Amino acid sequence: MSCTTSAPDPRAQFLSLLAEALADASLIKLVLARHVGADASLQRIIAKPVQIKEQACLQLVYRHQTRDLTRNLPLTEVEAFVAEQLPEQFRNAHLFTAAGEVQLAFSKKGKPMLQRHLAQQAPREAAPAGHDREKKRYLELSRPFLRDLGVTDAQGALIPSMSRKWKQINKFIEVFDHALAGAPVAKEQPLRVADFGSGKGYLTFAMHDYLRNSLERDAQVTGVELRPDMVELCNRAAARLEHSGLVFECGDVRSVVPEAIEVMIALHACDVATDYAIHTGIRCNAAIIMCSPCCHKQIRPQLHSPELLQPMLQYGLHLGQQAEMLTDSLRALYLEACGYETKVFEFISLEHTNKNKMILAVKRRQAQDNRALLGKIVELKAFYGVKAHCLETLLQGDGLI
């Protein structure tokens, strides 16, 4: 349910609602967005209630393009602080409380508008089996790592702004669970997992928690991330949550090369970084390879439009889509040639992320003759005039194809 309030002073009303939420301890989260201040790298401020040495504070996370900075603010100073930020520094503010969400937005001309979104009512009594059944969740919202990473609140309820991330996490674990069921890995075998580009660790923690807690398997999970501050942040969280066997390392798929792994993950690896990740998985004889590629740059400059397709590919958008499809098709075919059963599919709806393609490869239990497939790859490259493909170069260099 949503309605627009035509209050004489929406900003003052928002600050009043913030003060009430602080007073009755119903505040869940506060987000200041659409930054217009002098620091161009600052994107938003995310604030949540915390206890620091028995003092109630609001923990402010200043989210920059490449780092996060944290500051703790006593509750008595919060209202004045937020008032200073709106609208001089930020043009959007989102207040999340037990009653719902309140959004304050300023137009380009500085006109404020207040919107309220009431919290959903308690769910109706369960329907009979076969009707409106809840979708299976592979992780429980009560898991401590979800609260620590800001997906749920102190009561274990999903924070509304994290609903898309929660769906992505569950879908990822669902895909992995099905892949593991068909992979040539014994149930008692320890699993070594490498997650390249782990970022803030949402999926890395989820993978570790699912393997250790839900499946009760021996697992060593390593998150690899270029940003040192993210690595430090995640290692602190892993230690705080006592996630034994979960570590984060600083580097990327070219600098951190494991000797052997059973599962290789690389979500949103840019351009040829996806090729290096797939190569690492194949070289390490991984049983499962999960990639979500993006930024397809290598093939497009090489692409020569076949005469029949020139009327279609004269449009830049279509040419880019064709280059993306060709790049990922070649990746999937090389995986097939290296002994993997490979699928390319929509990982999750575009509603939740625009980087939604996944290449999933599961090692076959028996090797197959790949000569015919390699011949088809040569023909496909010739048809489009492709001279070089990063994954092919890497595999040939190791004698894997």
Side-chain angles (χ1 to χ4, degrees):
M1 179 178 176
S2 163
C3 61
T4 301
T5 305
S6 57
D9 189 350
R11 178 178 176 276
Q13 189 176 1
F14 181 88
L15 293 173
S16 176
L17 291 170
L18 171 62
E20 291 177 11
L22 292 169
D24 63 14
S26 64
L27 174 65
I28 296 173
K29 185 171 70 168
L30 173 69
V31 179
L32 304 180
R34 279 185 63 205
H35 182 246
V36 293
D39 186 352
S41 70
L42 180 59
Q43 298 176 331
R44 62 183 60 198
I45 296 177
I46 302 172
K48 297 178 183 177
V50 293
Q51 288 287 126
I52 306 294
K53 296 182 179 179
E54 299 184 357
Q55 180 185 11
C57 296
L58 207 62
Q59 185 177 77
L60 309 178
V61 178
Y62 289 72
R63 182 151 298 167
H64 294 259
Q65 292 176 352
T66 59
R67 70 190 192 284
D68 286 353
L69 300 177
T70 302
R71 170 191 174 194
N72 294 319
L73 189 68
L75 293 187
T76 54
E77 301 176 18
V78 170
E79 189 177 354
F81 169 80
V82 174
E84 291 176 358
Q85 306 299 315
L86 301 171
E88 288 77 10
Q89 299 295 321
F90 294 91
R91 295 296 177 87
N92 270 11
H94 298 259
L95 175 65
F96 298 92
T97 70
E101 177 187 353
V102 181
Q103 179 180 357
L104 176 67
F106 292 86
S107 68
K108 291 182 179 180
K109 295 183 179 181
K111 181 180 179 181
M113 181 177 68
L114 194 72
Q115 288 186 321
R116 292 193 186 191
H117 304 274
L118 302 180
Q120 293 183 352
Q121 296 179 348
R124 293 176 298 173
E125 189 174 334
H131 296 278
D132 298 328
R133 288 180 296 180
E134 183 179 356
K135 186 177 180 180
K136 179 181 178 181
R137 294 299 183 192
Y138 289 81
L139 293 170
E140 297 296 329
L141 280 170
S142 59
R143 298 306 301 152
F145 83 92
L146 292 170
R147 182 173 63 253
D148 197 274
L149 297 180
V151 178
T152 60
D153 61 22
Q155 289 73 44
L158 177 65
I159 294 174
S161 62
M162 296 299 291
S163 61
R164 292 183 178 182
K165 179 62 67 177
W166 171 236
K167 289 178 181 179
Q168 290 176 43
I169 292 170
N170 264 284
K171 185 62 179 180
F172 174 82
I173 296 298
E174 178 185 351
V175 171
F176 169 73
D177 182 76
H178 289 305
L180 183 60
V185 180
K187 289 186 177 181
E188 65 278 4
Q189 179 181 346
L191 293 179
R192 292 161 294 185
V193 181
D195 180 10
F196 292 99
S198 54
K200 294 189 175 179
Y202 294 112
L203 295 181
T204 324
F205 273 90
M207 173 69 81
H208 181 270
D209 189 89
Y210 184 67
L211 288 171
R212 286 291 190 105
N213 182 66
S214 300
L215 299 186
E216 298 182 345
R217 295 193 63 148
D218 184 5
Q220 299 293 319
V221 180
T222 302
V224 181
E225 169 60 40
L226 272 172
R227 294 168 291 179
D229 55 331
M230 290 292 100
V231 174
E232 183 181 354
L233 181 75
C234 291
N235 275 326
R236 286 202 306 265
R240 185 167 55 248
L241 293 164
E242 298 182 348
H243 275 233
S244 176
L246 174 63
V247 296
F248 291 82
E249 297 183 15
C250 191
D252 62 11
V253 71
R254 304 190 200 196
S255 61
V256 179
V257 183
E259 292 185 4
I261 49 177
E262 281 69 50
V263 182
M264 196 290 301
I265 303 165
L267 302 188
H268 308 152
C270 186
D271 195 28
V272 296
T274 293
D275 297 302
Y276 278 89
I278 293 174
H279 170 252
T280 294
I282 295 173
R283 185 189 61 76
C284 293
N285 199 35
I288 301 172
I289 294 175
M290 304 175 74
C291 291
S292 179
C294 74
C295 305
H296 304 68
K297 299 177 182 178
Q298 187 193 25
I299 292 294
R300 182 165 179 167
Q302 304 178 51
L303 203 61
H304 294 163
S305 303
E307 185 175 352
L308 178 64
L309 302 181
Q310 284 180 1
M312 179 179 72
L313 300 183
Q314 65 177 312
Y315 305 106
L317 174 63
H318 290 169
L319 183 64
Q321 291 172 337
Q322 187 82 340
E324 178 181 329
M325 184 171 66
L326 178 60
T327 300
D328 291 331
S329 294
L330 288 172
R331 287 166 172 163
L333 291 170
Y334 285 127
L335 280 162
E336 292 275 357
C338 289
Y340 287 84
E341 189 73 37
T342 307
K343 299 177 181 179
V344 181
F345 57 94
E346 186 180 82
F347 166 47
I348 197 166
S349 171
L350 282 171
E351 172 190 355
H352 306 300
T353 175
N354 59 353
K355 300 175 182 178
N356 68 333
K357 183 190 294 184
M358 176 169 283
I359 300 174
L360 173 65
V362 179
K363 191 75 173 179
R364 292 194 186 95
R365 297 181 184 274
Q366 294 182 341
Q368 296 182 359
D369 188 347
N370 65 3
R371 288 175 293 181
L373 182 55
L374 289 173
K376 292 180 180 180
I377 292 174
V378 170
E379 293 176 359
L380 184 59
K381 288 174 57 187
F383 182 74
Y384 283 102
V386 174
K387 301 298 182 184
H389 189 284
C390 182
L391 180 56
E392 178 187 60
T393 302
L394 294 170
L395 294 173
Q396 287 176 344
D398 284 345
L400 294 172
I401 57 172

